[in-house]
Amino acid sequence: MVKPKFKKPKSGKITNFKKKTTEKQVPDKFTELASEGISNNAAVSRAKEIQQFNPESAKHEVARQKLKKQKARLEEGIVKTAEAQILNVEDAGYIKTSDGAATYNIKQSEIRDAVDLATASKSFELLLEFGPYRFDYGINGRDLIIGGRRGHIGVIDWMTKDLVTEKNALETVNDVAFLHVSTIYATAQRRWVHIYDEQGVEMHCMKKFSEPKLLEFLPRHLLLVCSCSTGFLHYLDVTSGNVVASYRMKEEGNPHSIARNNANGVIISGGTSGQVSMWSPMVKESLVSIKAHTGTIRGIAVENFGNYFVTAGNDQRVKLFDMRTYKQVYSCNMKGQIASVSLSQKNCLAVGFGQHVQMFENVIDNGIVTPYLSHFVGGDVRQVQFCPHEDILGIGHSRGFSSIIVPGSGDPDIGGIVHNPFESKAQRREREVKMLLDKLQPEMIALDPSQINRVKKQKEMVEDEKVPKAIRVKPDYSWPLLSRFKRY
Amino acid sequence: MNNLKIKVISRNPDHYQRETKHDIFKAPQKNGGNEDPLRHAVEYTRALNAAKLERVFAKPFIACFDGHNEGVGVLAKHPLRLSHLLSGARDGQVKIWRLSNRKCLGTIQAHNGPVNGISVDASVGEIFTTIGQDSQLKHWNLPEEFDGDLSEPAHSIPLQFVPHSISHLYNSTDFVIAGEGISVWKLYRDSPVTTYDVGQNTVHSIRCSPVEASIMAGCASDRSVFLLDTRQKAPLTKMVMSLRTNNISWNPIEAFTFIAASDDYNVYTFDMRNLKSAKMVHHGHTSSVLDVDFSPTGKEFVTGSVDRSVRIFRANGSKSREIYTNPRMQAVLSVAWTLDNKYVLSGSNEMNIRLWKANASEKLGALKPREKAALEYNDRLKKQYQHHPQVGRIIKHRQVPKAIFHAAKEHKIIHDKKKRKEGNLRKYAKPGTMPHVSEREKIVIGTGFQNE
């Protein structure tokens, strides 16, 4: 029988001995969790947070008792959640070589031979002649839409290779994106943004968005974001059809890449100026602006929980930034002009440059040093993107679309309601209704999404009537500068 | 290389899809993972939606019972039968209603003048007693299986005075009548067992405590509220206010608390043990409050007033939680809260009794477990976010008729003016000459009897 330990309260007094028999084992495991060093584990970080919750700070005895009970309940909940991880059935992927040999020589054909037939069929290639392809995976990771520059648009279920719809738009298609369900998709064509049905019937044509180049969909806010070569950024609310915001991105000029931050809904964009800026629909100026590269920003990718982001520029560098301090953490040189970057749920980085794609495992801990895998694509890479919850990387290139297996990149545990690749039609309809009910208003998009729950203390209310200033981060001058990039 | 171990995520669709269409869908779960970074915004959105939906579904009016030919002055609940209601009108008619199918079971022409009180005993419940302005006290049979034949009372007693109120003692067939003085009677006896003298003024309301078997509280027309004990020979204590109290109700759970509905538009909660100050002042009505009734949980009460509204208050809140009005409802003379805690009844001057839901947006009937869980989640969200400005303003807002709105505004101006004037007087008076007297103490002018 393990004797329950006492945590001495701050006042130094020993707590009531009568309570000895009713105390459970909970405090033990909880303090163990709270003192662990790993900060990535959800249970550990929550345990640390709860430790700072001090019931003694309440002024009234009744309130103190209530808060103590609440704290005990929360602690028990954290321990139970941590223990519940055993219930997750799927395991993450990996590659294990004999005596730790390098993995970057392993080809896709070897991987296909080493896994079962169903998984091997996930690695495939579509050879099409309609120009460099851009693509998008649906919100449940099951549907894939590909759009070639010469106008070819196709929607397929990539696991079963069923064709849903295919058409040719007869004009340049710059980007494609699914909306909240894979039965509706939007394409950025030469002049305007068009929205199509699953049968290929055009439903809407957004003539207000002229010369669109890139599309991004915010699934929690149900906003379609479109960036144009004129430097404008448009936010379209797909539930009501009204344009929430439309403004010119001052620092960008022509943005070459945009990415969404899943943790708070801001859009990160980068263009010819080498500045990475963060945008919210309510503020016409950038929230944060970081001078990241000396050349054009070619690719941006954001970590799943919004703590880090990766940028790639024309100066052949790929950099990892910390979202909290906006400072560069890692940097790496690539040989070749970088076309696109993507971060997977397990922090595996894929960089597409020239006709190659290189994958780096767990970049946050290891840095961008030695590649994990390397793949030679037949054509010039246009876009790389990891499929959510699968160990698959999709590559859109000038000769079509490829899907390659990257073991260990996807998160094996599916969080039910939003990401369910096996959803049936009824489940999809339920999901659609639930998404609409939980739709977040665009006014809530801010750098810190938990602001809405904060209670302002009296002092804060007096001081802070000023608008928070935008954050401008200057470059670190100790970067080695190449002479031809000196001008900024 | 042969010694290459590769594992890739491969999911068996059978684990994620249901087998037959009669099964429920499988929802994969992520156990012990990171929390959703947008959970604060999602929860706020859900709380806002919950508040809005509550207002959408807030349809409290259920039914109107008409049939009386005069204003309904008295409503009496049957303590042992949930769906029986007795109502007495100002023309002497007493009607017995079955609330479950909203039918009138029978009508009795009980008295020649207004029915002043009806009471059913809580021990057996087969006989109910009525008193009328014609100084008659009548006992009537009320069998379980009602066949509608009730033209003759079981027993009739002429009294020497005009009785104004009747109440049965807790768990017994004895009852108390108040008119001139207070008398305790036994069933079928022709004269009272004991009488109490509380002065020359008419006592127009008496209520027996449902917890303490021998305590009673009543109000007299000299603006007083007094307490009696059947074990004593003299009244216990008395308290005088500045305006008359119309009615009293005892808290069925807390033995020592009662509420008094007063002519100065407020309802006061008193602790029986200390009548020098009220425990709580409940304001909201814009005219005299005529009747008040506690809910069986003792946490809320309903009031009816001359300003044509029925308000529901929380026992520990000074502002009303709900206000129910109807364009056709005139002054509310009597209210009752049914014993299953779900409905509120109001009898009004225009001969109608109305049945309302106690929780306006409650879904009646059996709820499926998921429905119930969703409603409970919404309730918790509303409770958590009630102080958030955007959510709170939706939760608190009620649309009131123009007359009440303007009257309330005017009363607020008067109230603010009084406070401001008092503050100014205190500011310029000699320090210490004008002590702060709390609102709760101010209303009690005096306590105790003259000879004490």
Side-chain angles (χ1 to χ4, degrees), chain A residues 187-221:
Chain A
T187 60
Q189 293 179 202
R190 184 175 70 93
R191 290 184 75 185
W192 303 306
V193 170
H194 299 250
I195 298 179
Y196 295 93
D197 196 5
E198 61 186 332
Q199 292 176 341
V201 175
E202 178 183 319
M203 292 204 295
H204 306 282
C205 175
M206 301 303 303
K207 293 204 176 152
K208 288 186 187 165
F209 304 170
S210 54
E211 298 177 41
K213 282 287 179 296
L214 294 165
L215 290 175
E216 193 62 65
F217 186 69
L218 299 171
R220 311 297 291 277
H221 304 82

Side-chain angles (χ1 to χ4, degrees), chain A residues 217-449:
Chain A
F217 186 69
L218 299 171
R220 311 297 291 277
H221 304 82
L222 292 163
L223 292 174
L224 180 67
V225 187
C226 172
S227 77
C228 306
S229 55
T230 52
F232 267 80
L233 191 67
H234 303 279
Y235 286 82
L236 171 71
D237 185 340
V238 299
T239 57
S240 59
N242 68 329
V243 179
V244 174
S246 247
Y247 49 82
R248 216 182 123 246
M249 296 189 280
K250 287 219 181 85
E251 287 104 354
E252 290 320 304
N254 183 0
H256 282 257
S257 58
I258 59 174
R260 69 167 190 261
N261 184 344
N262 282 323
N264 54 16
V266 311
I267 294 285
I268 309 181
S269 73
T272 46
S273 56
Q275 300 249 24
V276 171
S277 309
M278 301 198 190
W279 307 91
S280 144
M282 293 295 112
V283 182
K284 306 298 183 214
E285 288 186 341
S286 62
L287 299 169
V288 181
S289 181
I290 307 161
K291 175 74 176 163
H293 291 271
T294 51
T296 324
I297 309 262
R298 283 275 162 201
I300 304 180
V302 186
E303 186 232 350
N304 209 8
F305 294 105
N307 293 326
Y308 298 93
F309 64 97
V310 173
T311 62
N314 246 352
D315 52 359
Q316 297 180 345
R317 286 200 173 81
V318 175
K319 296 186 181 180
L320 179 79
F321 286 83
D322 185 338
M323 191 72 85
R324 286 160 289 207
T325 58
Y326 308 112
K327 294 253 186 292
Q328 175 194 321
V329 180
Y330 297 117
S331 167
C332 173
N333 276 19
M334 294 283 153
K335 299 219 163 59
Q337 198 188 49
I338 301 167
S340 179
V341 286
S342 175
L343 261 183
S344 85
Q345 284 166 325
K346 284 270 186 190
N347 303 325
C348 180
L349 174 69
V351 182
F353 55 95
Q355 295 199 350
H356 296 264
V357 175
Q358 272 190 355
M359 273 71 71
F360 297 87
E361 196 182 24
N362 206 352
V363 288
I364 291 170
D365 296 334
N366 304 342
I368 318 171
V369 186
T370 43
Y372 172 56
L373 281 177
S374 178
H375 181 67
F376 173 73
V377 183
D380 297 319
V381 174
R382 175 104 190 267
Q383 180 187 8
V384 290
Q385 192 178 325
F386 279 100
C387 180
H389 294 295
E390 294 285 337
D391 281 341
I392 301 291
L393 174 72
I395 310 168
H397 51 92
S398 60
R399 284 178 62 218
F401 174 80
S402 306
S403 166
I404 59 173
I405 300 176
V406 181
S409 58
D411 189 3
D413 311 314
I414 304 183
I417 295 183
V418 181
H419 299 283
N420 188 356
F422 299 98
E423 65 185 2
S424 68
K425 189 171 172 191
Q427 277 178 310
R428 189 196 75 215
R429 293 202 297 233
E430 284 296 317
R431 168 172 72 81
E432 190 174 353
V433 171
K434 292 230 160 62
M435 281 181 88
L436 288 168
L437 283 175
D438 284 343
K439 171 187 174 356
L440 303 174
Q441 295 304 316
E443 289 86 15
M444 287 195 248
I445 297 179
L447 287 173
D448 182 8

Side-chain angles (χ1 to χ4, degrees), chain A residues 42 96 220 389 411-412 416 438, chain B residues 5 11 28 30 34 36 46:
Chain A
K96 274 209 188 92
R220 311 297 291 277
H389 294 295
D411 189 3
D438 284 343
Chain B
K5 268 205 309 187
R11 297 195 173 90
K30 184 165 186 168
N34 272 338
D36 174 18
R46 286 181 183 167

Side-chain angles (χ1 to χ4, degrees), chain A residues 42 46 85 87-88 90 93-94 96 98 220 305 389-391 411-412 416 424 427 437-438 444 450 453, chain B residues 3-5 7 9 11 16 25-26 28 30-32 34-36 38 40 42 44-46 49 385:
Chain A
R46 189 101 171 98
Q85 283 186 322
L87 291 171
N88 291 327
E90 306 283 349
Y94 55 80
K96 274 209 188 92
S98 58
R220 311 297 291 277
F305 294 105
H389 294 295
E390 294 285 337
D391 281 341
D411 189 3
S424 68
Q427 277 178 310
L437 283 175
D438 284 343
M444 287 195 248
S450 64
N453 278 0
Chain B
N3 32 19
L4 195 61
K5 268 205 309 187
K7 186 188 176 306
I9 296 174
R11 297 195 173 90
Y16 292 86
F25 286 112
K26 293 188 186 173
K30 184 165 186 168
N31 295 306
N34 272 338
E35 285 162 337
D36 174 18
L38 286 166
H40 306 277
V42 170
Y44 166 78
T45 307
R46 286 181 183 167
N49 288 343
Y385 281 81

